[in-house]
Amino acid sequence: MKRIWKRIAIAVSAVVAVVGAYVGSGAAGGTPIQDAAGGALSASSTAIAPDGPAFSIWSVVYVGLIAYAVRQFFRTADDERHERLFVPAVLSLLLNAAWILSVQFGFLWASEPVIVALLGVLVWAFAVLRRTRPSGTVEAVVTDGTFGLYLGWVCVATAANTAAVLTAAGFRGFGFGQDVWGVVVAAVAGLVGVLLAIWGGGRLAPTAALSWGLAWVAVGRLDGSLVSVPTAVAAVVAIAAVVVVTLAVRTRTGWVGSRRPAARVS
């Protein structure tokens, strides 16, 4: 019975996250998230803000999360891998909705601890998944793929949100311009991507999502009201570094995870 309630909790949390996304998109008649909080999260708000189309990745993530929630009802009762994933999965879904609501209601300052907590929870989920191997292709795509994309994108989103919150609070970068801070943040995002690639054994999903976000940062800095060529170049270099390291790690290890059977979490 306890396992059944856990599966229901995941399903309900997924619905809450999707409804929150629907409201946040402005489809329900509200303000689109990029226009909420005085436009603090718009594509031209800071040098590290991704251009608008970048956010379409949320559609892929939400479809994956719904698929993950549905799949929970068909897994075996002794699947300890998913038992360990339960808490971070539910927390990530609820924090996702909380972040959207905090921005929609104009509490931009509150969105920062929420998205930082979301990032931490997704790192926790990633740690659970990397310790064991998926039982098959469906598991690899639905669970590992979804949470990998989720983590990679939230890395970029956290950087953009932090920059937006600081800018809205009146932070002027200690006298350094947007170009300098854009380059620094893009470099940090690239470093995070490299570390994830090494730690995760060359998993593709986090790299794909993080690269997607940085690519749209580059596009936004080359075209729009806030042009910053140095930031665009730094973002492209960061993408190249993350992709190269991911492929190198994957090649060096032969991605042993794809050859190794699923293991129980001790």
Side-chain angles (χ1 to χ4, degrees), residues 244-266:
V244 168
V245 171
T246 298
L247 295 179
V249 171
R250 197 175 178 87
T251 300
R252 180 176 61 83
T253 62
W255 208 54
V256 293
S258 62
R259 304 176 183 175
R260 196 188 312 171
R264 291 178 63 86
V265 181
S266 58

Side-chain angles (χ1 to χ4, degrees), residues 147-242:
F147 280 94
L149 288 175
Y150 200 0
L151 173 60
W153 170 248
V154 170
C155 286
V156 177
T158 301
N161 196 84
T162 301
V165 170
L166 289 174
T167 299
F171 178 66
R172 294 296 176 261
F174 301 115
F176 296 104
Q178 290 270 22
D179 287 348
V180 173
W181 283 107
V183 169
V184 169
V185 176
V188 170
L191 177 60
V192 170
V194 166
L195 294 176
L196 279 177
I198 296 171
W199 185 40
R203 297 193 179 210
L204 298 178
T207 291
L210 193 144
S211 297
W212 169 267
L214 287 176
W216 283 106
V217 169
V219 170
R221 299 296 72 78
L222 293 175
D223 182 29
S225 60
L226 179 54
V227 174
S228 174
V229 175
T231 300
V233 172
V236 172
V237 171
I239 293 169
V242 174

Side-chain angles (χ1 to χ4, degrees), residues 28-48:
T31 305
I33 199 74
Q34 64 268 25
D35 297 327
L41 298 173
S42 67
S44 60
S45 59
T46 67
I48 203 65

Side-chain angles (χ1 to χ4, degrees), residues 13 44 74 126 197 266:
S13 299
S44 60
F74 300 96
F126 190 71
S266 58

Side-chain angles (χ1 to χ4, degrees), residues 81 129 132-137 139-141 144 203 255 257 260-262:
R81 185 181 202 235
L129 293 175
T132 54
R133 299 301 173 185
S135 58
T137 302
E139 167 75 4
V141 172
D144 298 67
R203 297 193 179 210
W255 208 54
R260 196 188 312 171

Side-chain angles (χ1 to χ4, degrees), residues 20-28 30-34 100 104:
Y22 180 74
V23 173
S25 69
T31 305
I33 199 74
Q34 64 268 25
I100 292 173
Q104 281 290 347

